[in-house]
Amino acid sequence: MARMLKVTLVKSLIGSSPKQRATAKALGLSRLQHSRLHHDTPDIRGKIKQLAHLLAVEEVEAEGDYSR
């Protein structure tokens, strides 16, 4: 089983910088309480670190095949 991260946008992007908005879009987050599953990679961890004050992150064990 692969380690996955469930990333949820819990605070609004209003007032954030354009770079932070672009990072949220790259993570696939477009509205509040929207969640996405991502593989636990250094690239994703870096994006999460930029938006740590806006996100909730959970580590989950994936049972399916997520090739994204």
Side-chain angles (χ1 to χ4, degrees):
M1 287 191 250
R3 283 185 42 193
M4 302 287 284
L5 297 173
K6 181 180 178 184
V7 183
T8 305
L9 185 64
V10 294
K11 290 196 176 181
S12 177
L13 291 170
I14 294 173
S16 61
S17 69
K19 185 176 180 179
Q20 289 173 333
R21 289 176 192 235
T23 302
K25 186 175 180 181
L27 285 170
L29 305 172
S30 58
R31 62 185 183 275
L32 286 177
Q33 303 306 317
H34 196 207
S35 297
R36 290 290 181 162
L37 285 177
H38 292 282
H39 288 286
D40 189 5
T41 63
D43 180 45
I44 296 298
R45 288 279 182 170
K47 290 176 183 176
I48 290 170
K49 189 174 179 180
Q50 282 187 335
L51 299 176
H53 59 291
L54 302 175
L55 303 176
V57 181
E58 300 174 48
E59 290 186 12
V60 294
E61 291 292 329
E63 294 187 18
D65 179 29
Y66 295 95
S67 58
R68 271 179 80 181

